[in-house]
Structure formats: C-alpha cells, structure tokens
Amino acid sequence: MFYMVVIVLGAILLWLPISHTGDIGLNEAIFTSTSAVTVTGLILADTGSAFTGFGQGVIAVLIQLGGLGLMTFAVLLLSALGIPVGMPQRLILREDLNQTSISNLTYLARIILVIALICEAVGALILAFVFVPEFGWNGVWQAIFHSISAFNNAGFALHSDSLSAWVGNPIVNLVIPLLFILGGLGFIVVGDMYQKRSWRRLTLHSKLMLAGTVFLILWGTIMFGLLEWNNPDTLGGLSTSEKLWASWFQGVTPRTAGFNTINTGGMDDSTTMLTMTLMLVGGGSTSTAGGIKVTTLCVLILATIAFFGRQTTLNAFGRSLGIEEVMKVMALTTVSTLLVMTGIFVISISFTGTFLDLAFEVTSAFGTVGLSRGATGLLDGFGQAVIIVTMFLGRVGPLAIGFLLATRSVPRVKYPAGQIYLG
C-alpha cells in the first residue's frame, strides 16, 4: 500500500509540465515512477533529455525512498517528531527489513540511513572529478544523481547510452560498481562487517552473502569476457584495457544494478542467458537489490548437496540450517519463477519482437535490474502494464511472501504418512 501511494504521487509529479520537456504522458509518468520506486531502471523516455532538473530530482527522491524502504523513512520521521512508533508500524517495518524480531528496529532504520548517506556522499564526491570537468557545474548534479542511483541499485542514468561513454574510465568503473555492490550486500551485512571486522566473528548470513557475492562476481566477469571478447557489437571494437573494464562492469551490473557500458542488445544469446540468470538471483536481503537473493541460492545449493549426500541437516561455516529455511527458499523461488514465467507468457500474446528480448525484459523487471535489449519501447499499453506489475511484485512481493511464511501455525489435525514417487 505504501509503495502504491508513493508511485501514484510520483507519477502525478512527473506528469506535471514542470517535470518534463513536453513528451511525457500519463502512461510514461506512471511507468517511470514505478520503475524509480521499485529501483528497477526500465524507462520509456530518456531520463536526461525527457525530464527537467525538477523531474530528475523527483526521480532521485523516488529512488531513495524505494531503495531504502518507505517504512524506514516513516519510522525515522515519527522518531524525529517525537511521536512513538506503534506496533502496527513496527510490524510493517519488520516486514520491509525482512527481520524476525521487532526489537531495535528504529536503531536499525537509523543505521540504514547513515550508511546510505555516507556511501552516496563519498560516491558523489569522487564521481564529481569525472563529471564536473566534462559538464561544468551540471556535473555536480550528475555525480549526485548517479551516486544515488548506483547505491540504490536503480540503474537510472542521465545519458541515453547509460555509462557507455566511460567504458574505459577507471573512476566510473570502480566507484559505480562499488556503490551498487555495497547497496546490494544488504545493510545488515555492511553493519556486521563494520562491527566485527573479522571473518570468524561474522554471522552465518554475512558469510553466505559475502562468499556468494564474490563467486557470482567472478563468474559473471570471467564468463562475460570469454563470451563477448570478439563480439563486434560489444567488446570486439574496444582496446584490451577497455574490454577488461567492460567485462568487470557487465559482470557485476546484472546483480540488479542496471547500468551498462556496452550495447546490451548486441550481446550473444549465451551471454544474454548468463545475464538473465544473474538478474534472477539479484543481491542480498535487507538491501537495495532485488531478485530471489544470494542467500536463497546458497541455501538451495546446500539443500541439493545435502540431498545427494544423504544428509539430514544443512551445514555451512560451522553452523546448521533447519528445514524451515529450506521450505522458505523453495517457496520464494517457486513463486518467483511462476511470476516471471507468467509475465513472459502474458506479454508474449501481443508482443511482436523476439522471444529472447521479451524474456530478458520480464526477468529484468522482476529482478528490479533495468537492463534492456530494447523491448521496452516495443511494448503496447497492455505489455507496459504487465511490466509495471512485475516490477512492483519484484520489489514488494518477495518481502511480503517472506513475512507471510514467517508466521507459524500448529495444525490441529495430523494425517498418516503417505508416499509419492519423485524424479
């Protein structure tokens, strides 16, 4: 409900003449507002040219609200005004932050805001050294906007080709990925790392997130470079150093960041499938990223290994996981897969483009990534509406499902055991 209200308000603001240069209708405003609040990055109009400075500011605020969580800001505002935070607000905040307890939620909300503002401020300061010499004082706003968009894994850029103009720039290729990697790790992990500062003392969640993130980054970077090295539409025409920078950037950006430094539509089919897989996985819980989450993938792999190893418990880093975690990740993965497949099927009824581009678009929408192979502009009104719903469910759905699954109920009736044959 909170997200829907902000999306509507954002759409109204973006529809006002002061927000755009005259080419934005109500449909485009709703689509852009939804994409910003869900920190996706899919667009129907170029952000830098179609929207004025005021409109770009509205988009940046919507990104910040959606990335950090609306209830986080609501609780902080109530606390600042001296208004007690009631139980209903705490329950909603617990759902929004994917927590199992309602204790210390206000403190956690403050930590989230502080981490975000510090990271965004430092990122904007460093990016200013790139954008200010090239764009003058407007470069300051560009640095701030791209820093906010990067940390919140939104993928909105003020240039029609995203960040392709800086494909070989070391500062852009380090600062932007570092921002969306930190935002995608999750505030719990970042706080845990700051407090513990020792691998041995980190929680199991932090260890799984860090190990899974490092593996996916290495896998994505190496595979993208190998698959696209000689492709004239992506890496083929670049120098060796630019190829390495682009491989690194495109290897990490599918983790729901949404920026690109090469032509995404020119990727080979194999690389497209690799990117879709990374987009579906996403980042971490209590983060600005989307997807089914890295820890979900880790638990699925651990459960598979335990099954084939005839083990009755899951073990990782000297800790065990119960059957409840396995059931939860299976439910989340199943629902996520069904949502993506349903979205692809429904849009394909009227979509006139290629199937791979459509599947890529829907996966990007659900993973709140924002990467596109150009299918967004080919969608009719019905297809745009489905993408809007997919973006919304991708941002809000998994959190609501996780909250629902966390509710325990004891069955009043027990049935005799049955047997089915699987595999």
Side-chain angles (χ1 to χ4, degrees):
M1 177 59 71
F2 288 95
Y3 283 92
M4 292 182 66
V5 171
V6 174
I7 287 173
V8 172
L9 292 177
I12 294 174
L13 289 175
L14 292 176
W15 193 32
L16 296 175
I18 192 176
S19 297
H20 57 83
T21 57
D23 298 327
I24 301 298
L26 182 59
N27 289 339
E28 289 82 2
I30 295 175
F31 192 97
T32 303
S33 180
T34 305
S35 184
V37 173
T38 60
V39 290
T40 301
L42 292 175
I43 56 174
L44 293 175
D46 180 55
T47 307
S49 60
F51 292 95
T52 63
F54 178 82
Q56 294 170 14
V58 171
I59 292 174
V61 172
L62 294 176
I63 290 172
Q64 192 77 285
L65 290 173
L68 302 187
L70 301 179
M71 278 307 301
T72 299
F73 287 97
V75 169
L76 290 175
L77 179 61
L78 291 176
S79 300
L81 295 176
I83 301 175
V85 180
M87 185 60 67
Q89 291 77 22
R90 290 181 180 271
L91 291 175
I92 297 175
L93 181 60
R94 183 186 69 174
E95 174 188 351
D96 206 29
L97 298 179
N98 199 19
Q99 297 295 294
T100 58
S101 173
I102 61 173
S103 61
N104 297 325
L105 287 179
T106 304
Y107 173 76
L108 179 60
R110 292 196 186 100
I111 293 297
I112 289 175
L113 183 61
V114 170
I115 292 175
L117 293 180
I118 291 176
C119 290
E120 291 170 358
V122 173
L125 179 63
I126 299 176
L127 289 175
F129 287 96
V130 175
F131 293 123
V132 170
E134 189 166 348
F135 300 103
W137 287 112
N138 181 256
V140 176
W141 168 242
Q142 294 213 21
I144 295 173
F145 183 92
H146 288 99
S147 181
I148 293 174
S149 182
F151 182 79
N152 289 282
N153 280 247
F156 277 87
L158 297 180
H159 306 277
S160 58
D161 58 353
S162 191
L163 300 176
S164 297
W166 297 274
V167 62
N169 187 289
I171 295 179
V172 172
N173 280 279
L174 287 175
V175 174
I176 295 293
L178 183 60
L179 283 171
F180 60 65
I181 288 173
L182 283 174
L185 280 175
F187 305 106
I188 301 299
V189 177
V190 175
D192 193 31
M193 292 170 58
Y194 176 78
Q195 292 176 343
K196 306 295 178 55
R197 303 181 186 181
S198 170
W199 173 263
R200 184 179 59 84
R201 298 170 56 196
L202 292 177
T203 63
L204 176 60
H205 173 79
S206 296
K207 290 180 179 179
L208 285 176
M209 264 304 306
L210 291 172
T213 298
V214 170
F215 172 78
L216 291 174
I217 287 176
L218 292 175
W219 171 258
T221 301
I222 294 173
M223 289 304 299
F224 187 91
L226 292 175
L227 294 172
E228 295 292 320
W229 193 264
N230 295 316
N231 184 352
D233 294 327
T234 53
L235 300 183
L238 304 177
S239 65
T240 301
S241 63
E242 289 176 336
K243 287 181 178 180
L244 294 175
W245 280 122
S247 297
W248 149 256
F249 197 98
Q250 296 307 133
V252 295
T253 196
R255 309 285 310 293
T256 83
F259 293 99
N260 60 280
T261 56
I262 53 91
N263 176 23
T264 306
M267 297 188 306
D268 289 333
D269 290 352
S270 56
T271 315
T272 302
M273 290 300 300
L274 169 70
T275 304
M276 289 171 62
T277 303
L278 294 174
M279 291 193 299
L280 187 60
V281 174
S285 300
T286 67
S287 75
T288 60
I292 65 172
K293 304 300 185 292
V294 174
T295 47
T296 299
L297 176 65
C298 291
V299 174
L300 285 173
I301 294 175
L302 290 173
T304 303
I305 294 174
F307 172 77
F308 286 110
R310 305 292 184 179
Q311 300 173 4
T312 57
T313 59
L314 306 185
N315 302 305
F317 300 110
R319 295 291 185 271
S320 63
L321 295 171
I323 189 64
E324 293 181 359
E325 283 80 4
V326 178
M327 293 179 65
K328 181 177 180 179
V329 300
M330 288 179 62
L332 289 172
T333 305
T334 301
V335 172
S336 299
T337 304
L338 288 175
L339 287 174
V340 172
M341 296 301 294
T342 301
I344 294 174
F345 170 74
V346 173
I347 298 180
S348 66
I349 297 175
S350 60
F351 185 68
T352 57
T354 63
F355 177 79
L356 186 60
D357 291 348
L358 169 60
F360 189 91
E361 205 79 8
V362 175
T363 305
S364 178
F366 177 78
T368 67
V369 182
L371 291 175
S372 175
R373 289 173 57 87
T376 305
L378 301 177
L379 297 172
D380 56 13
F382 176 73
Q384 293 175 14
V386 176
I387 291 294
I388 288 175
V389 174
T390 304
M391 290 190 294
F392 182 81
L393 293 177
R395 178 58 180 163
V396 180
L399 295 176
I401 295 169
F403 180 71
L404 176 63
L405 294 175
T407 302
R408 298 182 178 181
S409 60
V410 180
R412 297 181 179 181
V413 179
K414 291 186 177 181
Y415 298 94
Q419 183 178 12
I420 58 174
Y421 298 96
L422 303 173

